Structures are given as C-alpha cells and as structure tokens.
Amino acid sequence: MSATLLLLAYLGGVLTIVSPCILPVLPFIFARADRPFLRSGLPMLLGMAVTFAAVATLAAVVGGWAVAANEYGRLAAMVLLAGFGVTLLFPAIADRLTRPVVALGGRLSQRIGDGGGVLPSALLGVATGLLWAPCAGPILGLVLTGAATLGANWQTSTLLLAYAAGAATSLALAILVGGRLFTLMKRSLGAGAWLRRVLGAAVIAAVAAIALGLDTGVLTQLSTASTASLEQGLLDRLHPDAAAPQPPAAMTGAPAMMAANPAMMSGNPAMTGANPAMTGTNPAMAPGGAAPAAVLPVEADFPSLAGAVEWLNTPPLTREGLRGKVVLIDFWTYSCINCLRAIPYVRAWAERYRDQGLVVIGVHTPEFAFERNADNVRRAAAGLGITYPVAIDNDYGIWRAFANRYWPAHYFIDAQGHIRHHHFGEGGYAESERVIQALLAEANGRPAPTGLVTVTAAGAEAASDEGNVRSPETYIGYERAENFVSPGGAAENQPRNYTAGTPRLNEWGLSGDWTVGAEHAQLDAADGGITYRFHARDLHLVLGPAADGRPVRFRVTIDGQPPGENHGTDTDAEGNGVVDGQRLYQLLRQTGAIGDRTFEIRFLDPGVQAFAFTFG
C-alpha cells in the first residue's frame, strides 16, 4: 500500500466536512462542543472513526450477513441517539423515565448529557459511526473498490480508517471552533439551557432524517455534485494512475459510483469497467508480423490458479503444470457485452495456436449474483462455443491473485511462467495476436505462423459501432442506478407503482408495479415496463425470468413502433421475445441512421428481473 493512496484516503475524509451528507451527523458532534475536548469530543470521534472503518470493511468484503447485522446496529444507534436528544431537551423527564426501569441506562444517559466521562462519549461515537453514511465520491469509491476486490486484509482496514480519520480531523476542528462559540454565547447571553434544548431538538431531527433515509438519498446526490470535482482533482494530482479516464463506450461499472452508504452495500463488489485505453506494454510490432519477444518485458510472475471453485472443459490446471506452454488468461463474465464481443477473437486464437503450444484459460469472475451459478456459466460457455478451459472464479481468488480490475482483461504468459503483456477492454486484437506469435516463437525456437485470424461475429458478439455509442452502461438496481427519472425515485426493496414519464437522452424510468433491489428490479404484476431514451446502434438488456423459472413474454418498441428490421437477435420484427434464462438479451440492432430514440419494453407476465442496459 503506497503512502500516496493512504494520503488520498485521508484527504478524501477531510473533504467530507464540506459535503451536505455530513449534515445529519453534525448535531451529534456539536452536542459535545461545549465539553472538554480530550474527555468528550476526542473519544467520540475515535469511536466514530473506528466503528465506520470496521463496519465498512466487513460490508465491502463479506457483504450479506454484515449488512443485515449493521441494520440492527443502526436501529440501536438511532434509539441511543434519540434518547440522548431527549436528555438534552427534557433532562428531568428523561431522568424520571429511566430511573425505575434501567438504572444503568439512566446513569449512562445522564453522563452523556452532562459530559462526565470518556466511555460514554466513545459510546456516542460508536453510535454515530453506525449511522454515518459518507458520500461516495471518487476517492471513497476507489477505496471501497479495493476493499471489495482485494478482500479482507490490513490494507483495506487501514485505508478505510484513514478516510474516517480525515473526516474526524475536520470534525475535530469544527468542535473546537464550535466550543469557543458556545462558551462566548453562554457568557454573553446566559443561554446555556436554551442552547441545550436547541441541540436536543437538532439531534432528534437528525435521527429522524437518518431514519427516513435522507442521508443516503437527497443529501448524497447533492454531495456528489459538490465534492466530486475536488476529489477528482486530488486523484489526478496525487494518484494519476487510479484516476485514468474511462471511456463510456467500454464501461462495465465505475469505482467512483459505489453505494452512498458503504455499510449498506451488497455482497457483490462493484467492479470497474473495461477501459480500452489502458493497454499493456506496446511492443514495436513489425507490420504484418510478430515482434521479437525481446521487446516484451517481464511484468510479473504467473499468479496461482488455485482460487477456482470449479473447472469446465478440463481437470483443474496449475501454473506449475502449464510450465513450457504459452498461456492466455481471459477474465470475462457471461452477461458482459464487452466480454462477449472479445470472445470470438479469444476462441479463434485458441483454435489456431493450440497445436503450437498456446493454452487459453477463460477465468469467469461474476458481476451479478446469478453469474455465480455454475450451471448458468456452463450453459453460457456451451452456447458461445467455448471449448477451451474455463475456471469458475466465484470467490474472486484468481481475480485477486492477478490484482485485476477489468472485464475483459487479457494476460499473456510465456513458457517460463512470466506475464509479458496485458490488454484491458475490447480492441487491440492484432497487437494481442502478434504477442501470442512472438511468445510462441520464443518458446519453440522457430517462427510461429504469421498473418492474423479472420473473425466474423454476429449478434451480441459483433463489434460495437463505437462512433455512434453515446449512451453509457446503466444499472437498474438502486446501488448503482443513475439517471432514473420515475417520479418519487426508487423505493428501495419495497413494492411500488411507478410511471416512466418522458425521459431525456440517457434517462430511463419504470412503469407498473416493481420492487427495486440493490442489484436488480423485479416486476410484481404483469404489464409493467421500462423506458429508455438512448443513442446507439445496439441496445442490450440483462434480464432473468421469474424466481420460479417461468418464462416471461415481452414486447419492445422504438419510438412507439415495432422495431421491424431494427430488431435484435432476441426479438422479432414485431418486437416480441421471451425471457427464458439469466443472460444478456440483444433487443435492438438498427440498420439505418442512428439518432436519439426512445426504447420501451413491456413485460406481459410478472416476475421478470432486470439488471442492466448496455449499448453497442
């Protein structure tokens, strides 16, 4: 872990003080401003920072059970802090209520209200840490992406603690300034009791705001707009590699767009997208042929393949058993449109160079929960004509071993077990094939076949019309959803009737009865739909059938009309289709001029699950 990344995390936390999402926490902080800082303010801030770092680490790494446990912790924290507000607002009433029932709690509340001790202040900080939902700007997004992909380790917790320490530093300054202001007001106005009641009301209002979700909804949206440019500037200045631009045409997620509350993230990491600009070493290729392998430097040693939970088309493979072979590792996931468009080339290389000593290994690392189902992966691989070995990397073991961050990602390994080249994202196929030829020539001591494979791809595997793609990948689950315009926003994990409205370019909305979850939205009654205003040749949608597996019929339109010759491989000219599996569906492929168009899909049966739009 670099000192630069640690500094970035700390500075990102410091910037939290200028973000609107800190507002619900401020009443708890300022309620201690008139107490001795070392015995009151400092223990509270330490408790807050440590609690946030611990909960965020668990939620980012292990997900489900930690999220559920944290929900109970948040409820307990809201009760404690609401009680703290009551002691400030009505200390006499609170004392009468607590004395006969919970003497210990009464004494603790009284000590919190009066500021008499380090432990009560630390307890108040723990409660604040459970409720704190820092805004997910670029810096926190970078930290949380690393937490999700690299697993549980001391670096993860240290970075999160550095972020929390940055926030605590700026809040400490606020306490010190606020304490002096309160002292001055008390002396000049004699307003100690009045200030106490105002703070009590503010604490109770803050608890109510958090209970209603305002800290992770409206305030987060305001905060992202207000601090993202500051954070991005820090990233660009101090850590340029982490802030490399990522073209929308090849994105499959964004590290800066994590859930607003890291303590409430799902167990599925939000991985970064494919960035075709981030290629590996660019050897000086001779036109029409392979470069000498000498121009390919050693980037790293071949990491372990032991993290696979299952293998397809082969017994388990090991790096030791592959010594003497040239190996291509392809990180992919079967509903990723960028991966699907790269697979025809990977498949062709596996076939052409197999007899010369090339071993292609597809490492299937899932993005969505349904992609963890080995049977789904097996069917997808068979449907794509993948006969080379596939490692099912459900636990991200191989992903972490390679320190990978992208789908698709290609790593080229020589016969001595060294990574000699890598390429992230679509494209660069000619360069990649010449790297294979160079490594084979080096391994075999004789020239490899020259020339390049010819690939004719159809359907979703066909190359993107990049010049006309002006719509980004769009997630439907609330954790990563953007540009959702149905009135009232998404009701998280609750059934609700939606109207789509009239979206502008790259906006979308739901219509009908839906339950919007973290990862996908599920239709609760027939005749619901999704409307999207887009600009691209192709439109794809990742869908799954009803939970019981029953197929779901649908019909699509473009600008209110059946698609006709603009239909995709999963629809007919009238726009009809059926969701019969959990996968990516190609719904439109336009043949004429490309412009801003309005797409609508209506589901004739209930139960469908909608995950993400992609374009090409």
Side-chain angles (χ1 to χ4, degrees):
M1 179 176 60
S2 70
T4 299
L5 191 55
L6 196 64
L7 177 61
L8 272 175
Y10 178 80
L11 293 177
V14 170
L15 287 176
T16 303
I17 193 67
V18 300
S19 181
C21 72
I22 200 67
L23 292 177
V25 173
L26 290 180
F28 313 141
I29 302 298
F30 283 129
R32 317 300 290 166
D34 60 340
R35 308 299 178 189
F37 178 75
L38 293 180
R39 292 181 54 82
S40 180
L42 182 60
M44 188 185 75
L45 292 174
L46 290 176
M48 173 182 165
V50 172
T51 302
F52 163 73
V55 173
T57 300
L58 289 174
V61 175
V62 299
W65 67 265
V67 174
N70 185 65
E71 280 301 292
Y72 292 109
R74 284 171 62 86
L75 289 174
M78 282 189 280
V79 171
L80 173 64
L81 290 169
F84 172 49
V86 169
T87 65
L88 293 174
L89 197 58
F90 305 111
I93 295 176
D95 183 66
R96 285 197 297 270
L97 289 175
T98 58
R99 189 186 309 120
V101 181
V102 281
L104 178 61
R107 288 195 298 271
L108 182 59
S109 294
Q110 187 62 40
R111 292 186 72 190
I112 291 175
D114 291 341
V118 171
L119 181 60
S121 296
L123 178 61
L124 187 59
V126 169
T128 305
L130 290 171
L131 294 184
W132 180 34
C135 303
I139 292 176
L140 183 57
L142 177 68
V143 173
L144 291 173
T145 299
T149 57
L150 297 178
N153 53 54
W154 67 270
Q155 292 100 326
T156 290
S157 296
T158 301
L159 286 174
L160 288 166
L161 189 59
Y163 183 93
T169 300
S170 54
L171 290 173
L173 294 175
I175 289 178
L176 293 173
V177 173
R180 293 178 181 177
L181 178 62
F182 286 177
T183 300
L184 179 62
M185 292 180 67
K186 284 182 179 181
R187 289 176 179 174
S188 61
L189 301 176
W194 179 79
L195 285 174
R196 181 189 182 103
R197 291 190 176 92
V198 169
L199 286 171
V203 167
I204 293 172
V207 171
I210 292 172
L212 294 173
L214 296 181
D215 59 326
T216 58
V218 176
L219 292 178
T220 296
Q221 294 175 5
L222 294 173
S223 301
T224 300
S226 65
T227 62
S229 60
L230 293 173
E231 295 192 35
Q232 193 62 54
L234 281 174
L235 282 169
D236 295 340
R237 184 177 298 273
L238 297 177
H239 202 280
D241 292 340
Q246 301 190 359
M251 292 289 285
T252 58
M257 293 297 173
M258 306 291 287
N261 185 352
M264 299 180 67
M265 294 190 301
S266 74
N268 292 327
M271 302 301 176
T272 60
N275 184 350
M278 296 186 67
T279 59
T281 304
N282 185 8
M285 296 294 178
V295 305
L296 298 169
V298 173
E299 298 182 355
D301 290 334
F302 189 175
S304 173
L305 299 175
V309 300
E310 187 175 339
W311 287 83
L312 306 181
N313 304 328
T314 182
L317 300 178
T318 66
R319 60 184 173 186
E320 293 77 16
L322 291 166
R323 186 63 62 91
K325 299 287 187 180
V326 174
V327 180
L328 167 60
I329 300 291
D330 172 27
F331 283 94
W332 69 294
T333 187
Y334 80 81
S335 74
C336 161
I337 186 61
N338 311 94
C339 303
L340 296 178
R341 291 195 286 245
I343 280 176
Y345 292 90
V346 178
R347 197 168 53 216
W349 297 334
E351 180 65 26
R352 183 182 188 193
Y353 298 105
R354 179 177 54 214
D355 293 339
Q356 280 75 47
L358 176 69
V359 177
V360 173
I361 300 175
V363 178
H364 186 276
T365 310
E367 179 177 18
F368 297 114
F370 66 79
E371 292 172 319
R372 296 174 180 268
N373 185 313
D375 290 335
N376 285 350
V377 180
R378 191 175 291 107
R379 283 191 292 269
L384 293 167
I386 294 175
T387 58
Y388 50 80
V390 175
I392 298 181
D393 189 31
N394 282 354
D395 295 334
Y396 292 84
I398 303 176
W399 179 284
R400 289 195 294 268
F402 276 79
N404 186 51
R405 295 177 60 203
Y406 300 95
W407 292 292
H410 298 147
Y411 294 86
F412 301 83
I413 301 166
D414 66 20
Q416 286 71 46
H418 303 301
I419 298 176
R420 302 285 292 279
H421 183 73
H422 66 271
H423 183 277
F424 298 150
E426 299 177 59
Y429 302 118
E431 178 186 4
S432 293
E433 187 169 359
R434 288 174 182 143
V435 168
I436 293 172
Q437 294 170 355
L439 294 180
L440 287 172
E442 179 184 76
N444 298 328
R446 61 180 184 274
T450 57
L452 303 175
V453 297
T454 300
V455 169
T456 302
E461 296 182 19
S464 170
D465 181 13
E466 293 184 8
N468 276 310
V469 178
R470 300 178 189 171
S471 293
E473 181 170 22
T474 301
Y475 292 88
I476 294 176
Y478 62 77
E479 276 194 345
R480 289 188 279 174
E482 294 180 331
N483 301 325
F484 179 59
V485 295
S486 289
E492 299 179 4
N493 301 314
Q494 297 179 11
R496 180 177 172 183
N497 183 267
Y498 293 88
T499 57
T502 307
R504 297 173 296 179
L505 181 62
N506 297 332
E507 294 179 343
W508 62 283
L510 300 172
S511 59
D513 296 327
W514 292 83
T515 298
V516 180
E519 189 179 70
H520 66 269
Q522 179 168 307
L523 182 63
D524 299 323
D527 198 33
I530 310 174
T531 303
Y532 196 119
R533 183 74 171 171
F534 76 104
H535 188 116
R537 183 193 66 191
D538 303 339
L539 183 146
H540 314 92
L541 184 55
V542 178
L543 297 166
D548 58 6
R550 285 181 300 173
V552 176
R553 299 168 296 156
F554 64 82
R555 184 174 296 122
V556 305
T557 60
I558 183 168
D559 290 339
Q561 301 297 320
E565 62 181 1
N566 294 319
H567 70 88
T569 56
D570 292 299
T571 53
D572 61 21
E574 295 301 313
N576 298 308
V578 176
V579 179
D580 54 7
Q582 294 169 315
R583 61 181 177 87
L584 179 143
Y585 290 77
Q586 186 185 79
L587 303 179
L588 295 178
R589 166 156 287 170
Q590 300 181 71
T591 59
I594 307 302
D596 297 353
R597 313 292 292 273
T598 297
F599 165 84
E600 183 179 18
I601 181 169
R602 298 206 68 80
F603 300 98
L604 309 182
D605 305 301
V608 74
Q609 297 177 346
F611 292 82
F613 284 94
T614 59
F615 302 91

